[in-house]
Amino acid sequence: DRIPCWPYPRRVLAIVGAGIFFAFFDIVTIAAALPVLIEQLHVPAHEASRTISFGLFGYIVGAFLVSRLADRIGRRVGLLVSVVLFSGGSFMTATSQELWQVILWRFVSGMGIGADIAGITTYLGEVSPKRIRGRYTAIAVGCGFLGIALVPFAAEALDRKSTRLNSSHMSESR
């Protein structure tokens, strides 16, 4: 409450909003990716759904551990750690060849997402002046809900592109 005005350029709020956007986007993306995962890894649905459970468990672990780290070392370090976990886990998930790898890396990216959401909302609460704190937090969380809303459209676009690629590949092989 001692900070009289927003102490940073507006682009910081945009970066924070982007962090929440990608976190919420990722939360919903796994549901759209699950059928593809089942097909490509040739695993039953009940086994593939473990990726969701371990990702959610990662949210809890990441929020707890990284927030403790941020309390000791600083919010900036905590946010950077969350980005590294989220980005690294997402990249490794994309390159996974077996279900256990997907589960492991979804857990790691989940840790980043949990830390990201906890860290960003805490950070906004600490640096936003009282009169605009709710508005800035709502803007950041609104970016997250935009991420959720865009997943079906992104999934449909990727499905159409995949269908076109498969159709052209089938016609070339004939």
Side-chain angles (χ1 to χ4, degrees):
D1 291 342
R2 65 182 176 19
I3 300 173
C5 64
W6 178 252
Y8 304 109
R10 295 265 185 194
R11 72 176 181 268
V12 171
L13 185 59
I15 291 167
V16 166
I20 295 278
F21 172 89
F22 286 113
F24 280 42
F25 186 90
D26 186 82
I27 290 168
V28 179
T29 300
I30 190 64
L34 207 56
V36 176
L37 192 73
I38 291 165
E39 179 184 330
Q40 289 186 355
L41 297 180
H42 309 292
V43 295
H46 72 277
E47 287 183 24
S49 65
R50 291 183 186 143
T51 60
I52 296 171
S53 298
F54 276 85
L56 293 171
F57 185 59
Y59 297 174
I60 297 165
V61 173
F64 178 75
L65 292 180
V66 178
S67 65
R68 303 256 326 189
L69 176 75
D71 285 344
R72 292 176 193 261
I73 298 176
R75 299 281 178 245
R76 185 174 181 178
V77 172
L79 289 171
L80 289 173
V81 168
S82 75
V83 169
V84 168
L85 289 170
F86 181 30
S87 301
S90 295
F91 176 78
M92 295 305 294
T93 298
T95 61
S96 296
Q97 299 294 312
E98 297 184 34
L99 183 63
W100 71 267
Q101 294 170 331
V102 175
I103 291 170
L104 170 68
W105 295 114
R106 284 297 300 168
F107 176 79
V108 171
S109 65
M111 287 176 59
I113 291 169
D116 184 51
I117 293 169
I120 286 174
T121 53
T122 301
Y123 184 72
L124 284 173
E126 290 176 345
V127 301
S128 298
K130 180 172 43 174
R131 64 180 177 74
I132 59 170
R133 185 175 301 141
R135 181 175 355 142
Y136 279 20
T137 302
I139 289 169
V141 173
C143 290
F145 287 119
L146 179 63
I148 289 172
L150 292 179
V151 169
F153 299 108
E156 182 180 2
L158 289 171
D159 186 47
R160 285 183 183 185
K161 184 172 183 157
S162 174
T163 302
R164 277 193 306 245
L165 288 174
N166 288 338
S167 296
S168 66
H169 178 69
M170 297 277 285
S171 62
E172 288 175 8
S173 64
R174 289 182 186 166

